[in-house]
Amino acid sequence: MRRSSCIAGRLALTMLDFALVFAIAGTVVAFKYLSSKAADPQSDEAWRRAARRVGGEVELKPRRLLEIPKRRIRSTIEDVPIELFNEEESRGKSSAVVTRIVTGSLRGSELARIRCEPRDIVSQVSRKLGIGELPTGDKDFDAEVHVSGSPRALALEFLDPSTRRLVARGGQFDLERERFALQREGEQDDSEALVAMIRFAEQLVLRWHALLRGPVRLAERLGLSVDGPPQLACGVDRVAQGTLRSRTVTLSIRVEEEVALTLLSIDEPNVDEWTMERGESSAFVITGTPPDGIRALAETMPRCLLGLHGTTKTMDLAFEGLTPDHEEVIAALDAVLVASTSPAPYR
């Protein structure tokens, strides 16, 4: 009897010891977990410094139980809000902390999607096979960055040489649902890295606005009445209209999957329909019978002029891209107006 009582006592003591050890281990794990999420004065100060440098406002929230401290910087660039923040992202059975930037809504981007990301093994294979690829023609950039998007022409227009250099240095981004978004793994606690993320987002917004302003500024140079900011990626959109040398001139942009053009239409009836389009050698290929004065311009037109088209109602000039050189566009329009029996050149 005594023997069984002793065994029971020892067993109870063993279970008590086990429970005590388990409780201590759990406390240590919980302490380490909570300590990893505790507020870090140095990180807080880094976010404050970054906010001051970009002229933004910082919001620092102490952690709650089992949550990371929340940090956020709000700034603006050309009236577009920019928010930089950290958050914990669920990844299956685990989680990870990421630092994200999201911009406010971008005018004219309703149908646009652009994504740039560093190449991985999958995108290296897709590049070799030509699947899902959107090559920019910049070999060094295309080797390092995987580009996808729609319309393709708009994505390529957006990624001009300076933007490609920016992306090559700054990493990945998305333009989707009318906003730019980018993220970095981990919780950024260096003010330089935080400022670099915000400056990167600012440059993306500025580049988008440059695409929007290009047609508007051209219209202003021509003295046309502007309808409003153009809508990109929606087919043909009229930007401005006015009267030049007693004829109506309309400025439009055309953005489709494979083409982005700046269009100038002149109220100039023609007897027959005709076209002058650049061929593979860049020389104009003529179809129909354009007026002699227009035909004579073929060798003097700037390279950005891709073609002319005459109908029974208008004469249309198509320029490459949404931001062609304004001086070249004005020179081409001047030459066409002179050649189409105008008494004096347009200036």
Side-chain angles (χ1 to χ4, degrees):
M1 193 70 168
R2 290 181 179 177
R3 183 181 181 84
S4 59
S5 299
C6 183
I7 293 174
R10 290 180 178 177
L11 182 59
L13 183 60
T14 302
M15 293 179 65
L16 180 62
D17 290 342
F18 178 78
L20 181 61
V21 170
F22 183 80
I24 293 174
T27 301
V28 171
V29 171
F31 176 77
K32 289 184 177 181
Y33 181 80
L34 293 175
S35 297
S36 68
K37 297 175 178 290
D40 181 355
Q42 291 184 347
S43 294
D44 287 350
E45 182 57 31
W47 282 66
R48 290 191 187 96
R49 286 199 302 270
R52 288 194 296 267
R53 287 183 57 184
V54 300
E57 298 178 353
V58 66
E59 178 183 339
L60 303 172
K61 291 185 178 180
R63 70 168 178 83
R64 295 180 179 178
L65 185 63
L66 304 183
E67 290 185 356
I68 63 171
K70 299 296 179 65
R71 302 182 175 96
R72 187 178 302 268
I73 295 175
R74 294 184 177 90
S75 62
T76 59
I77 182 73
E78 293 191 349
D79 297 325
V80 175
I82 294 177
E83 283 200 27
L84 170 68
F85 56 93
N86 67 320
E87 65 179 2
E88 196 165 14
E89 182 179 76
S90 178
R91 297 180 178 177
K93 296 182 179 180
S94 62
S95 64
V97 178
V98 296
T99 304
R100 285 199 174 100
I101 278 188
V102 178
T103 71
S105 179
L106 299 163
R107 291 175 300 170
S109 65
E110 290 82 354
L111 302 179
R113 182 186 179 279
I114 305 173
R115 178 174 177 81
C116 291
E117 57 188 333
R119 286 200 176 276
D120 55 18
I121 295 177
V122 174
S123 62
Q124 290 284 5
V125 173
S126 69
R127 182 182 182 224
K128 292 180 180 179
L129 297 177
I131 301 173
E133 283 294 304
L134 186 52
T136 65
D138 183 331
K139 293 183 179 180
D140 294 336
F141 179 83
D142 291 339
E144 299 296 329
V145 181
H146 176 66
V147 180
S148 59
S150 179
R152 293 166 59 90
L154 179 61
L156 295 177
E157 182 85 7
F158 179 80
L159 292 169
D160 67 343
S162 62
T163 305
R164 292 198 299 270
R165 289 192 294 270
L166 174 72
V167 173
R169 296 192 305 267
Q172 68 183 46
F173 76 87
D174 274 293
L175 169 58
E176 193 170 19
R177 298 177 182 176
E178 304 178 53
R179 289 171 169 80
F180 283 115
L182 51 141
Q183 75 174 43
R184 301 287 183 271
E185 293 293 322
E187 185 172 4
Q188 304 295 317
D189 56 5
D190 177 73
S191 62
E192 293 295 331
L194 295 170
V195 170
M197 288 185 69
I198 295 173
R199 297 303 188 205
F200 180 61
E202 289 176 346
Q203 291 301 312
L204 294 178
V205 172
L206 291 174
R207 173 56 186 159
W208 183 261
H209 282 182
L211 288 183
L212 286 176
R213 281 195 297 261
V216 173
R217 287 180 173 172
L218 176 58
E220 292 171 347
R221 288 286 307 275
L222 293 170
L224 304 179
S225 178
V226 177
D227 296 341
Q231 297 295 310
L232 305 185
C234 66
V236 178
D237 182 44
R238 195 182 88 168
V239 178
Q241 191 175 71
T243 302
L244 302 177
R245 297 171 46 81
S246 303
R247 281 171 290 179
T248 300
V249 175
T250 303
L251 171 64
S252 306
I253 60 170
R254 178 184 173 191
V255 180
E256 297 178 0
E257 186 61 27
E258 301 294 340
V259 63
L261 300 173
T262 297
L263 305 175
L264 280 171
S265 296
I266 304 170
D267 184 10
E268 179 73 21
N270 296 267
V271 175
D272 299 306
E273 187 168 344
W274 55 268
T275 60
M276 292 174 56
E277 296 180 336
R278 292 197 185 274
E280 294 182 359
S281 64
S282 295
F284 281 105
V285 176
I286 300 175
T287 303
T289 308
D292 291 340
I294 300 299
R295 183 192 290 266
L297 296 175
E299 295 183 1
T300 61
M301 287 288 97
R303 295 292 296 272
C304 64
L305 179 63
L306 299 182
L308 300 94
H309 181 207
T311 71
T312 56
K313 294 183 178 180
T314 64
M315 178 162 48
D316 305 319
L317 289 73
F319 296 89
E320 184 176 16
L322 304 181
T323 55
D325 184 276
H326 290 182
E327 297 301 328
E328 292 185 349
V329 172
I330 292 173
L333 177 61
D334 180 42
V336 168
L337 290 173
V338 171
S340 57
T341 68
S342 295
Y346 165 77
R347 296 295 180 190

